[in-house]
Amino acid sequence: MSTQVYSAVRSRDWLSVALVLGGLLVLYYLVPLASLFLSASPGAVAGRLADPAVQRAAATSLLSASITTVLATACGLPLAYWLARASTPLQPLVLAVVVLPLVVPPTVGGVVLLTVVGPETLVGRTAAAAGVPLTRSLAGVVLAQTFVASPFVVVTAKAAFESVDRTLEHASRSLGKSRWTTARNVTLPLAGPGIAAGVTLAFARSIGEFGATMMVAYYPRTLPVEIWVSFVSTGLDAAYPVAILLVVVAIAALVVLNTVAANPWR
């Protein structure tokens, strides 16, 4: 057997192993999702979705996730640009701080936030006195979601900015364009798909956030909190329809990720 034929056979063998192992993982994702959709009849789903509590939870999730995504994008994009272009010893430290909420359990993130915005803290008391309570409120939900979801914008946008050919930016600057004009007309359009992907992931993560939201807010309930309440109070049968709604919203976010995010400026 020649060396080329042997290499081709070995390559096919490895691809077969990769397909089997990867296929098992894909099945591990798909089977529970399919089982979820088969666990509740369309009538049961429609009945639960007609519940005002579920409708309020869905509205709260969509509103809070939208606000969180706007905040994460407005603050995260400049930070991501700085991380991608900075050359300073502070850069690795700042990046580590950004990534930390991704590896810390969400409930721990909620505890961390309560040490700053809790009702007995200076910030919490001041905000409550001004009529903007930071716990058991929409503001608390947004604070919790922003803590756990905004790193997706920063990390993904940083990678997108780093993928932009620097010579194009240098060419723009050599023509007398300012750094801001160059970033707006050159860097942002080229990094657009990656940025849109990070924004979409942040929205999806906000929609699904549970642990930190439970610790900081609880009320008004989001869809994940409503699922937990339904499960604890009634059982799985009551939780299934709400879980299906949440999965549908997540799937819709993925559709955006695979369409709009691919060509965000069209």
Side-chain angles (χ1 to χ4, degrees), residues 79-170:
L79 178 56
Y81 183 81
W82 181 84
L83 288 170
R85 296 292 182 259
S87 179
T88 169
L90 285 177
Q91 196 263 7
L93 178 61
V94 174
L95 181 59
V97 172
V98 171
V99 174
L100 190 60
L102 295 177
V103 298
V104 170
T107 50
V108 175
V111 172
V112 170
L113 287 176
L114 286 175
T115 64
V116 178
V117 302
E120 302 303 323
T121 65
L122 176 61
V123 174
R125 290 196 302 269
T126 303
V132 188
L134 301 181
T135 57
R136 298 177 69 84
S137 65
L138 181 64
V141 175
V142 171
L143 287 173
Q145 291 178 348
T146 301
F147 187 83
V148 300
S150 58
F152 286 97
V153 174
V154 180
V155 173
T156 308
K158 173 181 176 293
F161 286 136
E162 290 175 339
S163 68
V164 174
D165 189 347
R166 297 293 297 274
T167 59
L168 298 176
E169 295 179 331
H170 295 325

Side-chain angles (χ1 to χ4, degrees), residues 224-252:
V225 175
E226 185 65 31
I227 292 171
W228 181 83
V229 171
S230 298
F231 170 69
V232 172
S233 60
T234 310
L236 276 175
D237 289 340
Y240 285 147
V242 190
I244 289 173
L245 174 60
L246 186 56
V247 171
V248 169
V249 173
I251 291 174

